[in-house]
Amino acid sequence: MPTKQLLTEMGRYNEELVKAGIMLAAEGLHASSEGIRVRFSGTKRTVIEGPFANTNELVAGFWLWQVKSREEAIEWVKRCPNPMLEDSEIEIRRVFEAEDFGAEFTPELREQEERLRAQIAAKT
């Protein structure tokens, strides 16, 4: 668990992200020992309970940002307090957008996606 100092530093960092208008979401995740995975193999589903091997490579939390460029995301991450008590890494990944799916994402599927997003937004 993080220390009070780290929680304070992360709180300040998150305030900067919100003030900059780039933070969309941020959450911490419980340990993999509490996690469950479902493996897909054709029509078969297998439930696997944690903990999982290579825990040093598991996601512990995430931020969802809307930035103008990869470079902007890198600059923000470089300002982040070290989220762990030891050496650690933060991975930056893009979120898929409709244009990434090409022609397979038909107008009907796009309309469905927009409708679902509107339903989700209406609940918050």
Side-chain angles (χ1 to χ4, degrees), residues 93-106 110 113 117:
R93 295 174 61 182
R94 290 183 53 227
V95 172
F96 276 103
E97 297 182 19
E99 296 74 35
D100 296 324
F101 295 104
E104 297 298 319
F105 198 44
T106 64
R110 288 174 189 251
E113 177 74 15
R117 287 183 185 273

Side-chain angles (χ1 to χ4, degrees), residues 20-114:
I22 67 169
M23 173 115 75
L24 301 177
E27 304 295 336
L29 302 173
H30 281 269
S32 75
S33 60
E34 298 181 35
I36 298 169
R37 293 180 180 174
V38 178
R39 178 174 290 136
F40 293 76
S41 180
T43 60
K44 183 179 178 186
R45 306 297 184 260
T46 305
V47 176
I48 307 157
E49 296 200 27
F52 304 110
N54 299 322
T55 56
N56 62 329
E57 296 180 7
L58 295 174
V59 174
F62 67 91
W63 284 286
L64 185 58
W65 299 343
Q66 187 169 31
V67 294
K68 294 178 184 72
S69 66
R70 178 178 185 257
E71 292 72 24
E72 182 182 4
I74 292 168
E75 288 307 312
W76 275 105
V77 170
K78 288 166 71 174
R79 294 171 57 182
C80 181
N82 186 349
M84 306 301 287
L85 298 176
E86 64 271 349
D87 289 351
S88 64
E89 295 179 353
I90 293 179
E91 180 178 346
I92 300 171
R93 295 174 61 182
R94 290 183 53 227
V95 172
F96 276 103
E97 297 182 19
E99 296 74 35
D100 296 324
F101 295 104
E104 297 298 319
F105 198 44
T106 64
E108 295 80 16
L109 291 171
R110 288 174 189 251
E111 187 278 325
Q112 177 189 37
E113 177 74 15
E114 290 172 13

Side-chain angles (χ1 to χ4, degrees), residues 14-27:
N14 287 339
E15 283 183 354
E16 289 182 51
L17 295 168
V18 170
K19 287 178 185 173
I22 67 169
M23 173 115 75
L24 301 177
E27 304 295 336

